[in-house]
Amino acid sequence: TVETSTPVFVQSTTAETLVPINYGGNMAFGKGASIFLQLHSKCLSTEPVRVEYSVATQNFLYQEPKVVLADTIAQLPLIHKYSPTVKPETATPVYTLTTAQSSPHTAAVIIPLKAETLPLRPFTLSVKIRQGALEATIQQPFRMVWPEMPMSLRDIDFALEALRHITREDELDSLKSGSRDSRLTHLEKFWKKKDRTPNTEYNEVMVEYYRRVDHAMRAFSSMRGFDGHKSDRGRIYIL
């Protein structure tokens, strides 16, 4: 068997430089990423490995897990004789792989992942790595997180209500109907139709709209509460 460490989600700028993008073991929403995984075994050779991985939604009440991303890489090269070192000179730490003082029984693999296609949901990552008769498996729960999410988008009902400037009354009532999961699906489908980059989950048009809603709440709200986005000035700014 092969022992594995906890996977790290990284962006690779070059073959030797990795930028970690973990948020407490979670992955940044809207950004492409790879999986950096360390392998430990006395039987590791220099041959490439076969990697099978999948990302599935987590169990929730009576909903069965659904695989949203899966791929198989038949010949993925291992990184041998490496030693990760940290360069903390910048705000974001950068790990550089060098060949200094590494264990002969330790290697690493970088698995490309289409993370930019994953929505804001909790997932389970499953990875199986094979090299000859050797096999290693790992499962890791994680979430897509969005620290820069507009405040007005964090509450589904508020986000739906904020659409009143660009929807008809009957359409808005339909969007606001159903369970919480249904309302979330309605919101996602509404903005998907306006997405200029449909191959990614990050919707620039939606982000700009709610960024303007946030500004309208800060700049035009009255003493009664955060109603600036409903005011005439707020409506004009948003539109």
Side-chain angles (χ1 to χ4, degrees), residues 2-216:
V2 180
E3 296 180 0
T4 62
S5 60
T6 302
V8 178
F9 302 113
V10 297
Q11 289 177 313
S12 180
T13 54
T14 69
E16 297 82 20
T17 304
L18 304 172
V19 180
I21 56 173
N22 278 45
Y23 286 85
N26 299 314
M27 194 185 306
F29 172 70
K31 297 182 179 180
S34 297
I35 307 166
F36 178 73
L37 191 61
Q38 290 180 308
L39 309 175
H40 312 276
S41 175
K42 293 182 179 180
C43 301
L44 283 174
S45 69
T46 58
E47 295 299 316
V49 296
R50 177 184 176 87
V51 175
E52 302 171 10
Y53 70 85
S54 64
V55 175
T57 55
Q58 291 184 17
N59 281 321
F60 182 73
L61 295 178
Y62 303 106
Q63 298 179 0
E64 291 294 323
K66 178 183 177 182
V67 175
V68 296
L69 182 64
D71 200 2
T72 298
I73 305 175
Q75 295 284 315
L76 191 65
L78 285 178
I79 304 173
H80 283 276
K81 298 181 180 180
Y82 74 93
S83 177
T85 57
V86 183
K87 289 185 177 180
E89 294 88 358
T90 59
T92 302
V94 176
Y95 288 80
T96 302
L97 300 181
T98 66
T99 57
Q101 298 179 353
S102 60
S103 168
H105 307 310
T106 300
V109 63
I110 299 177
I111 307 170
L113 188 67
K114 296 179 180 178
E116 67 276 9
T117 65
L118 297 177
L120 285 168
R121 296 285 193 281
F123 296 102
T124 298
L125 169 69
S126 300
V127 180
K128 180 181 291 186
I129 299 179
R130 293 174 177 168
Q131 187 186 66
L134 297 177
E135 183 176 297
T137 59
I138 189 171
Q139 276 198 332
Q140 179 74 20
F142 71 95
R143 297 181 66 93
M144 301 301 295
V145 294
W146 189 7
E148 301 86 8
M149 176 189 283
M151 291 299 299
S152 52
L153 192 52
R154 295 174 185 264
D155 182 89
I156 297 171
D157 294 321
F158 190 96
L160 287 168
E161 177 63 28
L163 296 177
R164 62 173 51 256
H165 299 313
I166 55 175
T167 58
R168 302 185 311 272
E169 193 67 33
D170 59 333
E171 184 183 9
L172 185 58
D173 289 341
S174 178
L175 291 171
K176 294 163 66 175
S177 65
S179 64
R180 183 186 183 279
D181 284 345
S182 296
R183 298 195 300 276
L184 176 58
T185 300
H186 295 162
L187 181 66
E188 290 176 338
K189 287 184 177 179
F190 175 87
W191 283 110
K192 198 66 177 177
K193 295 177 182 178
K194 304 178 184 298
D195 194 357
R196 297 172 182 171
T197 54
N199 293 329
T200 66
E201 280 294 319
Y202 189 86
N203 188 330
E204 292 80 3
V205 176
M206 180 186 72
V207 173
E208 176 61 18
Y209 184 85
Y210 287 107
R211 185 197 66 78
R212 296 186 185 194
V213 172
D214 281 4
H215 177 78

Side-chain angles (χ1 to χ4, degrees), residues 212-229:
R212 296 186 185 194
V213 172
D214 281 4
H215 177 78
M217 286 194 296
R218 292 192 300 267
F220 308 127
S221 288
S222 66
M223 296 291 290
R224 291 173 295 182
F226 293 106
D227 56 357
H229 63 294

